[in-house]
Every structure is written in structure tokens, then in C-alpha cells.
């Protein structure tokens, strides 16, 4: 069995004139990420691999949540998760070594929400808001992960925590 945590980046700021890839988190996003870090610790969310888009808002989200995640988790920053759809995210996951039984992807919508829909066959039942976490489990390995091969076991938004 594998566990997949899909985390949408926390709320970003539109105040500056930075290009999209360089937008930082807003204050609200920083608070939400800190609340999610506490949630991770409380519920034992402990991925051994974290795949993170290389956009600034995803990197900032990871940094703000790092205290809630295992110190020994392998972190991979990649452009392959920026502005991509569900199929590209799934291709990345399909290449994940089977030694990692729990993986977190920190990325963007609509790709993450579409991936949940594909893997589970149903929407999460709520808006996949910024900072939201969907946790899925699958009896397959990463290489065989595909449509309707997972089940949704948790969906939480920062708004529920603050």
C-alpha cells in the first residue's frame, strides 16, 4: 500500500509585480501553512519523499510547514510540477521509487484537484482551496498508480484548523 498526500500551496500574494513563478505567500498563506504544520504533527503525516514545484509559493509553503514534517524526508524541487495537469503529475508519481511508501506532492490547481478526481473517481466534495490537503491510499505501487486506483482517506483545509 502507498499513501499520497496532495497539498495545494498556501495562499499567495498578488501585491507585487513579480512574475507568476516568483509570487510569495501572503500573510494569510503563512498562517495557514503554520496551522497545517501543526496538523501534520498531530496526525502523524510523515512522507519519506516530498515532491515540490519549484515556484516560490510552493517552496515558501514547504518552508513554513517544514517543522511539521520529518527531518529525514527527501525533498525534490522540480519545475515538472509547475503549471502541469493531472497526467503530468501522475507520470512523476509513476516514476517514484517503491522504497517510498508515503509521498507528498506540493503543487498547484487545477492539476492536483484533477488528479484526485482521476485517482479516486470522485471529487473531494469541497473546493480544493489553497493550503488544502488530500490524502489518498492505494493498494498498488507507484508504477501502477492510475485512474480509480486510490481512495480518499482525508481532506482538510486550513480554514477548518484556524
Amino acid at each position: 500500500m502507498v499513501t499520497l498526500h496532495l497539498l495545494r500551496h498556501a495562499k499567495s500574494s498578488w501585491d507585487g509585480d513579480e512574475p507568476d513563478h516568483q509570487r510569495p505567500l501572503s500573510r494569510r498563506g503563512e498562517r495557514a501553512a503554520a496551522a497545517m504544520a501543526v496538523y501534520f504533527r498531530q496526525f502523524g503525516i510523515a512522507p519519506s519523499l516530498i515532491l515540490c514545484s519549484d515556484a516560490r509559493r510552493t517552496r515558501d509553503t514547504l518552508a513554513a510547514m517544514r517543522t511539521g514534517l520529518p527531518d529525514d524526508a527527501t525533498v525534490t524541487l522540480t519545475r515538472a510540477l509547475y503549471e502541469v495537469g493531472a497526467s503530468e503529475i501522475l507520470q512523476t508519481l509513476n516514476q517514484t521509487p517503491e522504497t517510498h511508501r508515503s509521498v507528498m506532492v506540493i503543487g498547484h490547481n487545477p492539476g492536483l484537484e484533477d488528479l484526485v478526481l482521476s485517482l479516486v473517481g470522485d471529487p473531494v466534495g469541497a473546493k480544493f482551496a489553497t493550503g488544502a490537503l488530500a490524502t489518498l491510499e492505494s493498494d498498488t505501487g507507484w508504477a501502477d498508480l492510475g485512474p480509480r486506483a486510490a481512495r480518499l482517506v482525508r481532506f482538510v483545509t486550513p480554514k477548518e484548523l484556524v
Side-chain angles (χ1 to χ4, degrees):
M1 183 172 76
V2 295
T3 302
L4 174 60
H5 304 283
L6 297 173
L7 179 73
R8 185 173 176 198
H9 65 79
K11 183 77 175 162
S12 60
S13 173
W14 291 91
D15 291 341
D17 59 352
E18 300 93 355
D20 182 71
H21 192 265
Q22 295 303 318
R23 284 190 295 119
L25 292 184
S26 67
R27 285 193 178 104
R28 181 176 126 198
E30 291 169 354
R31 287 190 304 271
M36 290 300 285
V38 171
Y39 180 85
F40 294 164
R41 283 192 305 273
Q42 287 176 334
F43 288 89
I45 295 174
S48 63
L49 175 63
I50 300 169
L51 303 171
C52 184
S53 161
D54 69 348
R56 180 172 175 191
R57 61 190 175 275
T58 50
R59 290 182 286 122
D60 288 353
T61 298
L62 174 59
M65 295 177 171
R66 199 65 175 110
T67 60
L69 296 166
D71 292 336
D72 61 348
T74 301
V75 175
T76 301
L77 299 175
T78 178
R79 186 71 173 223
L81 295 174
Y82 176 70
E83 291 190 334
V84 297
S87 62
E88 291 87 359
I89 300 169
L90 182 58
Q91 286 175 355
T92 299
L93 289 166
N94 289 152
Q95 297 170 18
T96 300
E98 296 298 333
T99 53
H100 295 287
R101 305 312 293 166
S102 181
V103 172
M104 178 176 283
V105 174
I106 304 174
H108 312 268
N109 254 3
L112 291 178
E113 189 168 0
D114 291 345
L115 182 59
V116 171
L117 182 59
S118 173
L119 294 176
V120 175
D122 292 307
V124 294
K127 181 181 177 194
F128 207 120
T130 52
L133 173 73
T135 299
L136 290 69
E137 291 179 347
S138 177
D139 295 326
T140 72
W142 298 115
D144 296 322
L145 189 63
R148 296 187 180 269
R151 62 197 161 279
L152 181 68
V153 295
R154 173 185 297 128
F155 182 74
V156 63
T157 65
K159 190 174 185 177
E160 297 172 51
L161 306 177
V162 291

